[in-house]
Amino acid sequence: MSERYEVVVTCFLREDTPSHVLEALRWHLGASAARPGGLEEEAHPYPFLEPDPGSPLPGGDYGVLRGEDHHAWGLFSRTCRHEDDLGQLNALLGLLEPYVAEPGYGGHVRAATADPSQPGAAPSLLTFADGAYVLAPAA
């Protein structure tokens, strides 16, 4: 049986985030039907952050990109993804990392059906720092 994962991505984006990155995020969130020009289909085959109305996650999937008072843009997404889809997460994070406004916590990936009392059930944490990201098992 294949595994499904809860994928959470959250960050503030700087004011100078290029319009093509914002367009790509809107497409990934399902807010725009047309694939933005210049977005490689091989790296971004479908909208990765688009909420699934039939999600098995408690409370369902959710995703939003909105203007903020503190920074120019705020991104939050929580989706349930098949293990085969997780390779696309790297392409998405590569798109975001140069424009993240604040270093630190950027989300997590965890097995959606994991029993939290079992060894290895801890999520992998996503952090942003110095224009890069790290996705590593929680300590």
Side-chain angles (χ1 to χ4, degrees):
M1 182 173 182
S2 57
E3 189 71 54
R4 297 190 60 83
Y5 290 85
E6 175 190 45
V7 178
V8 173
V9 178
T10 183
C11 63
F12 287 113
L13 300 173
R14 298 190 325 248
E15 188 173 333
D16 65 346
T17 302
S19 61
H20 74 274
V21 172
L22 297 173
E23 290 171 17
L25 288 174
R26 287 183 188 102
W27 178 76
H28 271 293
L29 289 162
S32 173
R35 173 189 298 280
L39 195 62
E40 298 175 19
E41 188 170 351
E42 186 174 313
H44 303 269
Y46 57 86
F48 186 75
L49 303 175
E50 184 171 14
D52 175 2
S55 173
L57 294 175
D61 288 4
Y62 182 77
V64 66
L65 174 68
R66 66 181 189 198
E68 298 289 330
D69 292 334
H70 186 62
H71 295 285
W73 299 98
L75 171 68
F76 179 81
S77 172
R78 176 182 182 244
T79 56
C80 188
R81 290 283 160 219
H82 186 273
E83 63 187 327
D84 294 342
D85 299 335
L86 294 182
Q88 189 178 338
L89 179 59
N90 290 325
L92 177 75
L93 295 174
L95 184 70
L96 287 176
E97 67 185 358
Y99 308 105
V100 171
E102 294 181 351
Y105 178 79
H108 65 264
V109 175
R110 71 168 183 90
T113 57
D115 177 349
S117 67
Q118 296 301 311
S124 292
L125 297 180
L126 168 62
T127 56
F128 293 106
D130 301 321
Y133 71 89
V134 174
L135 186 61

